[in-house]
Amino acid sequence: MTFFENVNRINYEGPSSKNPLSFKYYNPEEVINGQTMEEILRFSVAYWHTFTADGSDPFGVGTMVRPWDGYKGMDLAKARVEAAFELFNKLNVPFFCFHDADIAPEGSTLKETYNNIDTIVGMIKDYMKTSKTKLLWNTANMFTNPRYVHGAATSCNADVFAHSAAKVKKGLEVAKELGAENYVFWGGREGYETLLNTDMKLEQDNLARFFHMAVDYANEIGLNVPFLIEPKPKEPTKHQYDFDVATGLAFLQKYDLTKYFKFNIEANHATLAGHTFEHELRVARINGMLGSVDANQGDVLLGWDTDEFPTDLYSTTLAMYEILKNGGLGKGGLNFDAKVRRGSFEPEDLFHAHIAGMDSFAIGLKVANKLIEDKVLDDFITERYSSYTQGIGLDIVEGKTNFKELEAYALGLTEIKNYSGRQERLKALVNQYLLETISK
Ligand code: XUL
Ligand code: CO
């Protein structure tokens, strides 16, 4: 059966095309620095927003009109798999991602839930045989069901910890079965509402115990993929434990987990934490911990996770700058953890949204690559820190001096001269590169 009858395969037609259902900038085959755009960008469709979200918000019921609306239960889950692979093929995306609860309904027992998952995983596996689309990552939904009211691995209730362990154990088996490239842990409800009822130390120790058990089980079943923590500062809890990359990194270091984990960085989570997207990517990159990306954007006027499709070219450029400087994303990818707005309820909007996101990152890639090629920022930064390449500065970075020597040096200084940071000039340069790239 065909679900998206009005949409044909989306092809690259170039910037002058007037066809809304075509890529203007994302040309999967275009080679940039020896790799195709498809290989560098590694786009992924998020199953939950695209196939299960209904557009409901705290003030109203769902608005989405979907070709699979007539189905229920396992028939609905199966229809969504069919629709998913049709959309993947039409968008020509190399990857997709899901939570266990996105692909199969929870049963009334854990056993029944497992059976539902097994049936759908079998069906997905069959589709994957004839489709190019692979699984970037899967994860366990440990936040929707009321049992997670106090968290999952950080719940005050040991039975919930055990149930969560069973869900992740199954998730790791599914990752193995479908050849996932990564496994993701977003904190869900791992955080707290008030310290008045919270044993923060026990909760964090338990989270670390949970991660170690996940590592052990993955080793046992031969699942050798990066585990990715996805930091988020708040929502749904007031304070999420994986607040941002720096906090997550300190946690991994404290509990001896850095060998097994990297980060999945989400743009809108970065901004909720009071950081830019590129800040979070930079912190991960300079620590060798950049694993994958949830490529979306927030709204500067709203204080919550709006998960919009990325269209801000300035942001995609600076994000791609970090990703290219990282030497790419390795096994990671750019996953659209993004949803069409409530008012964009027609099936076709799913295609417009993905096209917008893919084109925006393609532009970002081209501009960032040119900025790096021309050493626009590198040359400025090299010059800015040149005092550390000779004399006292070189002694400092080589660890060859001490406070006494530095004091003697400082006492001998007659003048300290600083230079402008020129940020307005640099921003104008980035704009110039953006406009030049787009108009080419
Ligand atoms: C929630 C969020 C999740 C994760 C996967 O804010 O980003 O959808 O990406 O659990
Ligand atoms: Co996400």
Side-chain angles (χ1 to χ4, degrees):
M1 147 157 201
T2 304
F3 288 88
F4 303 102
E5 271 165 6
N6 302 330
V7 181
N8 297 318
R9 180 160 163 132
I10 313 296
N11 293 312
Y12 170 71
E13 293 184 8
S16 58
S17 170
K18 297 275 180 285
N19 174 9
L21 290 170
S22 71
F23 296 119
K24 317 297 179 299
Y25 301 94
Y26 176 60
N27 178 2
E29 281 144 36
E30 185 175 332
V31 175
I32 293 182
N33 260 335
Q35 270 189 306
T36 63
M37 274 200 185
E38 182 174 87
E39 287 164 342
I40 301 170
L41 295 165
R42 294 169 63 86
F43 287 129
S44 158
V45 172
Y47 209 95
W48 54 104
H49 289 306
T50 298
F51 304 108
T52 62
D54 64 1
S56 54
D57 70 10
F59 301 94
V61 297
T63 56
M64 296 300 153
V65 176
R66 296 292 179 246
W68 48 87
D69 281 343
Y71 296 92
K72 291 230 170 340
M74 282 299 280
D75 289 338
L76 173 60
K78 288 175 187 169
R80 281 176 173 148
V81 174
E82 270 188 68
F85 278 88
E86 184 187 329
L87 180 134
F88 302 157
N89 293 338
K90 286 186 168 168
L91 276 174
N92 189 22
V93 280
F95 293 103
F96 71 116
C97 302
F98 62 80
H99 302 82
D100 47 5
D102 308 331
I103 59 161
E106 272 205 54
S108 48
T109 62
L110 185 58
K111 222 71 231 206
E112 205 178 303
T113 302
Y114 282 174
N115 288 340
N116 292 348
I117 291 174
D118 287 341
T119 305
I120 301 299
V121 165
M123 189 173 167
I124 290 177
K125 200 173 175 184
D126 278 346
Y127 270 91
M128 285 173 79
K129 282 182 194 148
T130 52
S131 165
K132 75 182 241 182
T133 309
K134 296 193 279 189
L135 184 58
L136 186 65
W137 52 258
N138 62 310
T139 185
N141 176 326
M142 302 199 290
F143 42 91
T144 301
N145 190 290
R147 83 174 67 86
Y148 306 116
V149 63
H150 302 307
T154 65
S155 173
C156 50
N157 183 346
D159 285 354
V160 176
F161 185 105
H163 194 282
S164 307
K167 286 258 275 183
V168 171
K169 175 177 175 289
K170 182 72 179 167
L172 298 173
E173 289 159 10
V174 168
K176 171 99 180 155
E177 178 77 9
L178 294 179
E181 310 238 339
N182 306 269
Y183 187 85
V184 161
F185 293 89
W186 166 57
R189 294 182 191 273
E190 314 293 27
Y192 69 85
E193 294 299 323
T194 172
L195 289 176
L196 296 178
N197 66 11
T198 302
D199 185 340
M200 186 196 260
K201 182 168 188 313
L202 179 65
E203 291 198 3
Q204 295 203 349
D205 287 350
N206 279 349
L207 185 58
R209 290 183 182 108
F210 192 91
F211 286 153
H212 273 289
M213 286 188 240
V215 167
D216 290 347
Y217 189 65
N219 282 338
E220 200 177 316
I221 63 172
L223 176 70
N224 299 313
V225 301
F227 280 1
L228 304 177
I229 284 190
E230 184 179 322
K232 186 176 185 183
K234 56 188 166 198
E235 201 205 76
T237 73
K238 187 163 74 179
H239 185 106
Q240 300 276 120
Y241 287 134
D242 301 328
F243 192 94
D244 58 4
V245 175
T247 312
L249 183 56
F251 175 90
L252 294 174
Q253 284 166 343
K254 174 177 175 188
Y255 293 102
D256 201 17
L257 285 160
T258 46
K259 268 201 297 291
Y260 318 103
F261 283 81
K262 286 187 170 179
F263 290 97
N264 181 43
I265 292 164
E266 178 163 329
N268 204 170
H269 295 181
T271 49
L272 284 181
H275 303 307
T276 59
F277 185 17
E278 59 272 19
H279 167 96
E280 287 293 80
L281 293 167
R282 176 74 63 96
V283 178
R285 164 165 86 80
I286 63 175
N287 287 289
M289 298 293 277
L290 175 51
S292 199
V293 171
D294 272 10
N296 61 16
Q297 70 183 33
D299 185 319
V300 283
L301 301 180
L302 301 175
W304 59 90
D305 196 14
T306 60
D307 283 346
E308 295 174 33
F309 273 86
T311 50
D312 176 344
L313 303 181
Y314 208 81
S315 172
T316 59
T317 296
L318 297 185
M320 284 315 301
Y321 189 84
E322 296 303 322
I323 291 167
L324 292 180
K325 283 279 188 184
N326 191 57
L329 285 170
K331 290 265 176 201
L334 293 174
N335 172 49
F336 292 116
D337 186 354
K339 55 186 174 217
V340 288
R341 300 301 86 190
R342 187 175 153 79
S344 308
F345 50 79
E346 294 175 15
E348 197 179 296
D349 289 307
L350 292 173
F351 289 88
H352 292 306
H354 281 92
I355 291 168
M358 291 160 86
D359 272 343
S360 298
F361 265 92
I363 293 169
L365 164 60
K366 286 185 152 188
V367 183
N369 185 56
K370 197 88 184 82
L371 284 168
I372 292 171
E373 225 171 63
D374 292 358
K375 295 191 161 61
V376 175
L377 305 176
D378 280 339
D379 279 350
F380 186 83
I381 289 173
T382 303
E383 180 56 31
R384 189 162 185 243
Y385 292 88
S386 58
S387 67
Y388 287 96
T389 59
Q390 58 199 303
I392 197 74
L394 189 59
D395 287 348
I396 291 170
V397 295
E398 288 185 343
K400 286 187 184 151
T401 187
N402 55 48
F403 263 20
K404 278 194 213 154
E405 273 179 32
L406 288 167
E407 182 191 48
Y409 178 85
L411 287 168
L413 286 172
T414 47
E415 185 199 15
I416 293 182
K417 191 165 161 40
N418 272 312
Y419 299 91
S420 168
R422 294 261 192 278
Q423 59 169 300
E424 296 79 1
R425 167 73 189 128
L426 294 172
K427 286 177 180 171
L429 259 174
V430 173
N431 279 349
Q432 204 179 338
Y433 270 73
L434 246 162
L435 290 171
E436 268 173 25
T437 308
I438 297 168
S439 56
K440 247 184 226 147

